[in-house]
Amino acid sequence: MPVDLIRLCTLGALPALPQDWWAAWSLAPAMLLPLLALAFHALRPTATSGLPEGSARRWRLAGLALLALALLSPLCRLAATLAGAHMVQLMVLVAGCALLALGWTPPRRDSRMALPLAAALHGGLLWLWHLPAVYAATLTSGVVHWAATAALVAASFVFFHRAVHAPADRRGAALLAVLATLAHTGLLGALLTFAGQPLYALQAPGARAWGLDPLTDQQIAGLVMWVPGGLGYMAQALGLALHWASQGHRGRRRGAPAARVSGEPAARPG
């Protein structure tokens, strides 16, 4: 039991079964130590992020809590047992990265290709992970499992960071990138939902242990990505649009009196 506790969430470790899933925690150093290092940096004051420091820190801590839920709680072992739980874990990871990005310092000047590249990496990794051969490798190899998780977390954070903190002249592109991600991840979810056969045979025993047909388990995974995942991306797009619109409205209100004052001397007769 102590050895299983510090192993990564792969098929060779402690499974999360109906009778004791709540006890299947994971404290693998490969995941725990990076999270602790990230928590140390998240608690430190940062340069302005567009939010008061207290609010920014709360967003960062909320993001860290979601990462810990995905990587340390029984959800991690469940993700190795059930395809549906795996998809919940990925969506929780992505949401945690979005909250971290919201509370972190915005980037300085970066290239025009940064946002499109970040969106492509984020979306590409989600598709790559669900190729059956790659999916099987993440379940059987600790190295592949860690690398895939780290890559997805990094790519998701960079994507949301670029989108949330986009400068005014690139906000339209940021919204389009989020909506494009919503569309193609919804397509992936639909493909998993309507596939005629199970794609992830290694999790078939886990599905049966939970009283599920493997195809049903896969369909649940597809629906999780398609519906809750899509709603998450939609909420981000709407939130950004409303926030930027309110910023523009406040800016116009502040600028209007100054414009009238600066125009007064020209309106007076000589």
Side-chain angles (χ1 to χ4, degrees):
M1 180 70 176
V3 174
D4 280 324
L5 186 66
I6 62 172
R7 294 178 66 181
L8 290 167
C9 300
T10 57
L11 286 179
L14 179 70
L17 300 176
Q19 63 270 21
D20 59 359
W21 65 269
W22 49 268
W25 289 77
S26 174
L27 298 178
M31 296 296 184
L32 180 60
L33 294 179
L35 274 178
L36 290 175
L38 189 58
F40 172 77
H41 287 290
L43 290 170
R44 298 173 60 190
T46 67
T48 177
S49 60
L51 294 170
E53 177 54 33
S55 297
R57 185 182 287 114
R58 284 191 289 273
W59 284 118
R60 296 196 298 271
L61 290 176
L64 280 170
L66 290 183
L67 293 187
L69 174 64
L71 300 175
L72 305 181
S73 82
L75 177 57
C76 189
R77 303 287 189 207
L78 278 167
T81 307
L82 296 167
H86 155 81
M87 196 64 77
V88 172
Q89 182 197 36
L90 288 194
M91 295 300 97
V92 171
L93 275 176
V94 169
C97 292
L99 296 182
L100 279 174
L102 183 61
W104 224 286
T105 308
R108 296 183 180 179
R109 300 300 299 175
D110 45 42
S111 68
R112 296 272 168 179
M113 289 300 294
L115 178 61
L117 179 60
L121 286 174
H122 169 71
L125 283 170
L126 286 173
W127 280 82
L128 178 64
W129 196 322
H130 292 92
L131 295 177
V134 177
Y135 193 100
T138 65
L139 290 175
T140 55
S141 168
V143 173
V144 176
H145 180 89
W146 184 91
T149 304
L152 180 61
V153 168
S156 299
F157 173 79
V158 172
F159 168 51
F160 291 120
H161 201 245
R162 294 295 187 269
V164 168
H165 301 294
D169 63 333
R170 296 172 62 189
R171 288 173 178 174
L175 288 177
L176 286 175
V178 175
L179 292 174
T181 304
L182 181 158
H184 75 71
T185 54
L187 174 60
L188 175 57
L191 291 174
L192 294 176
T193 301
F194 294 112
Q197 61 183 10
L199 300 175
Y200 310 121
L202 287 175
Q203 288 185 310
R208 295 190 180 100
W210 280 85
L212 293 171
D213 179 79
L215 183 57
T216 301
D217 183 31
Q218 179 178 297
Q219 290 169 340
I220 292 171
L223 286 171
V224 168
M225 172 167 275
W226 192 2
V227 182
L231 289 175
Y233 289 114
M234 178 62 73
Q236 186 197 22
L238 288 174
L240 288 177
L242 291 173
H243 175 65
W244 290 335
S246 66
Q247 279 187 332
H249 180 65
R250 288 195 301 267
R252 286 191 297 272
R253 289 184 62 184
R254 285 195 299 266
R260 288 195 298 270
V261 170
S262 63
E264 284 178 3
R268 291 173 182 170

